[in-house]
Amino acid sequence: MTSTLEELDLDTTTRVVADVPWQTVVWDDPVNLMTYVSYVFRSYFGFSRDDAERLMLTVHHEGRAVVASGSREAMERHVEAMHAYGLQATVSKATP
């Protein structure tokens, strides 16, 4: 008994569901100097001086700043790196 795909009428399409982008969030803390936070953003993420300063001020004034977005694995690596620099950081799902 031989059947072809057409006879079986199988749904052979594959659904690809995009993983919701994830974010690295850096939080304000009472320990690190603003100049140090800016330095970390420049040296680790490669931000320009102006972008690093803007993000650092967002952390300072708003208590947090999203510094990167992408796959969960990449954001977890960024968070580990921020912890190694002594900064408080977490991974969160990006809001649509």
Side-chain angles (χ1 to χ4, degrees):
M1 179 174 208
T2 308
S3 299
T4 65
L5 286 178
E6 293 80 28
E7 291 172 344
L8 294 174
D9 193 28
L10 294 177
D11 182 10
T12 59
T13 60
T14 303
R15 285 186 152 185
V16 177
V17 178
D19 188 20
V20 175
W22 294 81
Q23 299 173 327
T24 297
V25 180
V26 173
W27 297 87
D28 192 23
D29 65 56
V31 178
N32 292 296
L33 297 173
M34 292 188 292
T35 53
Y36 177 69
V37 174
S38 180
Y39 162 78
V40 171
F41 292 166
R42 286 193 329 268
S43 63
Y44 179 79
F45 291 106
F47 288 125
S48 68
R49 183 173 298 276
D50 289 341
D51 287 340
E53 293 287 322
R54 180 182 50 78
L55 287 167
M56 175 274 298
L57 287 172
T58 301
V59 169
H60 181 68
H61 293 295
E62 297 178 21
R64 65 187 290 273
V66 173
V67 296
S69 63
S71 71
R72 182 177 181 135
E73 293 80 15
M75 297 307 101
E76 288 173 350
R77 284 192 301 274
H78 292 327
V79 166
E80 287 178 17
M82 294 300 97
H83 292 171
Y85 279 102
L87 301 183
Q88 295 179 10
T90 56
V91 174
S92 67
K93 281 188 178 181
T95 55

